[in-house]
């Protein structure tokens, strides 16, 4: 695994560890950086932790394309309609290489979900750290959420298709738990922005928690509308409507 293997095959305590260099679509430079990051900061605890610590610029472009293709496949055929054999074939990987990274289809699906949620949280954190006023940050939050949605439409489609499948209750529960964890992180960033707005006296309420929940809910409603229509971006008057509520 990424927490134990090295560039070459190795044996420790009678256990054979697969060579990272033997995996398709992963360059030596990316492997060297991965190992250096692991040695400096310890084991990777999740895909989100891996994504935060390993610099994207060192990752093989083909490897990133493979991950994106898996998302497209799940979005097109649904969770039930995709097997590990189909994934391996579409990604042009051996089943052994695919199972090396993901011991099951559920693990791979959850890895895609976790990465998508983590990317969104990073986006909101970046808005919080901007040196600008509250209203400008709120407008940026609205714009960036819709850009994120358009860039990750497959992710939303994957989740929506899964929600309708009564045979997948266990993975639905896992997704809900992961989503709640990331939403709490995003909410904490929004609360910080609302506190700034209260300090600047540009918001109507003195409750940053209620303001953050309200904004998050309204943006989500507009995104859900876009999910079921051909709307590709929010109109200026709609952005203004959201901001005027606050």
């Amino acid at each position: 695994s990424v927490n134990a293997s090295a560039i070459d095959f190795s044996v420790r305590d009678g256990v054979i560890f697969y060579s990272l260099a033997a995996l398709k679509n992963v360059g030596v430079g990316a492997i060297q950086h991965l190992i250096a990051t692991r040695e400096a900061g310890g084991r990777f605890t999740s895909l989100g932790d891996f994504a935060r610590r390993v610099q994207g610029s060192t990752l093989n472009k083909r490897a990133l394309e493979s991950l994106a293709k898996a998302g497209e496949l799940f979005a097109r055929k649904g969770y039930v309609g995709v097997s590990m054999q189909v994934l391996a074939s579409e990604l042009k990987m051996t089943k052994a290489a695919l199972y090396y990274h993901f011991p099951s289809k559920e693990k791979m699906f959850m890895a895609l979900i976790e990465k998508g949620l983590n990317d969104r949280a990073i986006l909101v954190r970046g808005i919080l750290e901007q040196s600008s006023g509250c209203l400008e940050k709120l407008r940026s939050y609205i714009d960036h959420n819709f850009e994120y949605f358009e860039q990750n439409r497959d992710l939303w489609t994957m989740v929506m298709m899964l929600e309708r499948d009564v045979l997948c209750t266990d993975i639905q529960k896992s997704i809900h738990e992961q989503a709640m964890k990331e939403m709490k992180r995003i909410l904490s960033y929004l609360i910080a922005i609302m506190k700034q707005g209260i300090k600047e006296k540009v918001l109507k309420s003195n409750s940053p928690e209620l303001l953050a929940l309200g904004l998050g809910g309204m943006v989500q409603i507009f995104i859900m509308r876009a999910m079921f229509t051909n709307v590709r971006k929010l109109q200026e008057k709609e952005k203004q409507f959201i901001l005027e509520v606050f």
Side-chain angles (χ1 to χ4, degrees), residues 3 17 26 58 72 92 98 128 186 234 237-239:
N3 280 319
F17 291 92
V26 181
T58 66
E72 292 172 6
K92 294 180 172 51
L98 185 59
L128 171 63
I186 290 173
L234 208 59
K237 62 180 180 181
E238 293 173 321
K239 296 178 195 174

Side-chain angles (χ1 to χ4, degrees), residues 97-112:
L98 185 59
Y99 274 111
Y100 176 78
H101 288 292
F102 306 101
S104 68
K105 180 175 69 170
E106 179 180 345
K107 293 291 186 182
M108 185 172 197
F109 191 90
M110 284 304 302
L112 287 164

